[in-house]
Amino acid sequence: MAEEAHPQRSDARFTVCGVSQEDGCDDSTVVDASQTGRHLPHSYSHQAGRMNLVRLIPISDSSQSSLRMECIFRESGAFQLLGPKEMGGDPTTAPATLTTMDVILKQYGCRIVSIILDASSLQDCKPENGIAHPMDLPFSPGSVASENPSYLSDPPSHTLPLLSELVSLNIITSRSVSPRSLLYFLRFTPVLRTLCIHDDGDYPPTYPEDYGDLPTIDLPYLQYVTFKGLFSNVADGILSKLALKTSTRIEIHLGTTSPSWGATALRSTLSMIQHVCLSYTALGMEGGGEADRSWYLFSLSDIDSRVQVHWKWNVPYTDPPNLFHVRLDPAGLENVRSLTISLRNVTPNFHEWVTMLKPFPSLRHLDLHVTRSDTQDALTCEYSTATFRVRATRLLQKVMDVPLVFGLGLPGYVDPEKFASPGARPLIFGSSLLRKLYSGAWRHMVHKSGWTESSRRV
């Protein structure tokens, strides 16, 4: 059901973290404080470093040149606009032209080809109950950052102009972005080619948003989508509302505070892929003394790197690495027949092998690449490669769990000494007989075409 339309207001109110500030601008007038004599808000007149700022930068010398919009969003309130004619002024001393974002877009939207929104210096949000609301983008009509979003499932045409030239949107934030406000804005960007959101904030838990009522957004020209640091449910939710082409390149870097990812929104895209690349890398340690932590990176991509998902996390340096939070979607990977696995300075145990291989029930071919840094010479690395193919009959393949067969057999090639030690071979489902059955299946079902080793300096 469509929500009630936004009322037109002559006295706009802006809210961030429960703190409101009246702007006094109507929806159609740009207020120039130097002409009206109106006192500037405290944050502008006494704290120039905290002002919200929009720069419109011409791409050429033409009077009707396309514009690049750079927006610095720091707190609730209006924006100081430096338009094409005012680009030579000093924003801390020049007369302030205050306006709202929707007014800027209505006046210049037909010329804007790129938007960079820097919201990395937003004021800290400290909710009383410890849970924050997501950050609304400052692109909604008469709004800068409301904590009570009411975006419309079918907004009236007058709310925002159609940004018919916008091809690039880059958002840098220190707070969780409201998917609802982003999806609302994307409805007015029909030729968008690049969408990038970089979230590098460390903030408290955020209330989830319900945007199931919003329609799917068709962006036929979208070529690149990059999400860095977003919560997995936020990234998945945004992607689920975008009608992506099969040629769109998608790169997801999950936030370390919530790295789990089911990739359900990418299910239809991944279902067409038959060759997947996995990499598992030890990145080293950060910190000092007892606070040292070891960092790891796990990545999934198709053979052309058109779809990439990256997990990055850390554990205390005395703890072994684990993949318990890496969650792949078997329904999207059921047609994958070939895997390329690259390991760098890590030795997966049986459970990690199963985590990596279990989502690929149709696996028939596996290329393994192992790289280890020399402990005596940091510039020297040892490389090992091998190729494994399933050669059993279709009946045997249906009876046996092929990923589990690989999970039992591969550790013996990656680290033979460790695999041969007492207790290294796990009991599957608590049954040593079942373990022997699958170990035998590995010998008869899987053909190893080679195991080569080399050493080189990097």
Side-chain angles (χ1 to χ4, degrees):
M1 181 180 296
E3 300 179 18
E4 186 178 353
H6 288 292
Q8 292 185 347
R9 297 172 295 179
S10 60
D11 188 13
R13 181 179 298 271
F14 308 100
T15 304
V16 172
C17 301
V19 179
S20 64
Q21 177 181 18
E22 294 189 0
D23 165 63
C25 302
D26 61 27
D27 283 348
S28 60
T29 304
V30 176
V31 178
D32 189 331
S34 65
Q35 297 176 4
T36 64
R38 174 185 169 226
H39 293 292
L40 296 180
H42 176 76
S43 60
Y44 289 85
S45 58
H46 300 292
Q47 300 180 23
R50 292 297 303 171
M51 67 175 64
N52 296 325
L53 181 65
V54 169
R55 296 187 182 95
L56 295 176
I57 303 174
I59 294 179
S60 69
D61 295 332
S62 171
S63 60
Q64 292 299 314
S65 168
S66 298
L67 301 173
R68 183 175 77 249
M69 179 172 136
E70 296 181 353
C71 174
I72 300 176
F73 180 39
R74 293 194 173 110
E75 62 180 5
S76 66
F79 284 82
Q80 180 177 6
L81 172 63
L82 295 180
K85 296 180 180 179
E86 297 84 18
M87 285 309 299
D90 182 351
T92 62
T93 60
T97 299
L98 297 182
T99 184
T100 57
M101 178 62 72
D102 54 314
V103 172
I104 297 173
L105 294 178
K106 287 177 181 178
Q107 184 172 355
Y108 296 101
C110 61
R111 296 168 57 191
I112 296 175
V113 297
S114 172
I115 294 178
I116 300 176
L117 172 64
D118 184 353
S120 60
S121 299
L122 278 171
Q123 62 186 20
D124 292 336
C125 186
K126 300 178 180 179
E128 294 181 0
N129 61 356
I131 303 178
H133 288 272
M135 180 200 76
D136 280 2
L137 300 179
F139 298 129
S140 60
S143 172
V144 172
S146 169
E147 286 214 343
N148 298 298
S150 57
Y151 297 102
L152 308 179
S153 58
D154 188 19
S157 59
H158 71 270
T159 53
L160 278 181
L162 196 67
L163 304 180
S164 57
E165 299 296 321
L166 184 65
V167 296
S168 176
L169 176 61
N170 192 332
I171 300 171
I172 306 168
T173 177
S174 58
R175 295 227 345 239
S176 180
V177 172
S178 162
R180 197 172 181 89
S181 69
L182 173 66
L183 294 169
Y184 171 84
F185 181 70
L186 291 178
R187 298 187 64 184
F188 301 91
T189 62
V191 298
L192 191 69
R193 297 180 184 177
T194 301
L195 172 63
C196 179
I197 303 177
H198 187 177
D199 183 348
D200 59 358
D202 183 11
Y203 37 77
T206 305
Y207 283 112
E209 282 192 324
D210 181 13
Y211 38 90
D213 60 314
L214 298 182
T216 300
I217 301 171
D218 186 16
L219 297 174
Y221 299 96
L222 192 61
Q223 298 177 0
Y224 302 96
V225 176
T226 303
F227 294 157
K228 295 184 178 181
L230 270 64
F231 286 108
S232 58
N233 63 318
V234 174
D236 192 45
I238 294 173
L239 290 174
S240 69
K241 289 297 182 179
L242 301 181
L244 300 174
K245 300 185 302 179
T246 56
S247 59
T248 302
R249 291 188 174 271
I250 303 169
E251 185 173 355
I252 312 294
H253 297 258
L254 295 173
T256 57
T257 55
S258 180
S260 180
W261 172 257
T264 55
L266 298 178
R267 184 171 294 173
S268 60
T269 300
L270 294 175
S271 64
M272 296 182 291
I273 297 174
Q274 295 190 355
H275 192 158
V276 162
C277 301
L278 303 178
S279 68
Y280 187 11
T281 304
L283 300 176
M285 292 191 298
E286 296 183 2
E290 296 182 355
D292 282 349
R293 302 186 69 84
S294 299
W295 285 83
Y296 296 89
L297 178 67
F298 185 87
S299 302
L300 175 147
S301 70
D302 65 327
I303 192 65
D304 299 318
S305 296
R306 184 173 57 85
V307 178
Q308 302 178 49
V309 184
H310 306 275
W311 294 257
K312 185 179 179 181
W313 74 99
N314 65 77
V315 297
Y317 76 100
T318 56
D319 291 356
N322 57 73
L323 297 176
F324 72 91
H325 54 267
V326 175
R327 183 166 55 91
L328 304 177
D329 180 29
L333 301 170
E334 60 184 0
N335 294 324
V336 174
R337 301 180 63 85
S338 297
L339 268 181
T340 297
I341 298 181
S342 301
L343 307 176
R344 186 177 182 89
N345 294 330
V346 290
T347 303
N349 58 32
F350 165 75
H351 300 287
E352 290 180 303
W353 278 114
V354 172
T355 298
M356 286 189 283
L357 300 171
K358 193 65 174 176
F360 303 98
S362 301
L363 180 62
R364 297 295 179 265
H365 177 276
L366 189 148
D367 290 318
L368 180 63
H369 305 268
V370 181
T371 304
R372 299 187 187 280
S373 298
D374 193 317
T375 57
Q376 304 298 324
D377 184 355
L379 296 179
T380 301
C381 292
E382 298 178 354
Y383 296 89
S384 303
T385 61
T387 298
F388 303 88
R389 291 184 176 86
V390 177
R391 60 181 180 183
T393 64
R394 289 183 177 271
L395 177 61
L396 188 56
Q397 292 173 10
K398 291 181 178 180
V399 173
M400 305 299 295
D401 186 326
V402 175
L404 194 56
V405 172
F406 273 92
L408 273 173
L410 288 175
Y413 288 90
V414 176
D415 194 340
E417 295 182 2
K418 180 179 179 180
F419 188 70
S421 62
R425 294 174 179 265
L427 297 179
I428 307 175
F429 309 133
S431 170
S432 59
L433 179 60
L434 192 58
R435 172 179 60 81
K436 293 179 179 179
L437 174 64
Y438 271 84
S439 297
W442 164 262
R443 292 191 297 269
H444 295 287
M445 290 178 59
V446 180
H447 171 70
K448 179 177 68 70
S449 61
W451 179 258
T452 61
E453 299 182 355
S454 62
S455 179
R456 71 178 70 171
R457 290 181 65 83
V458 296

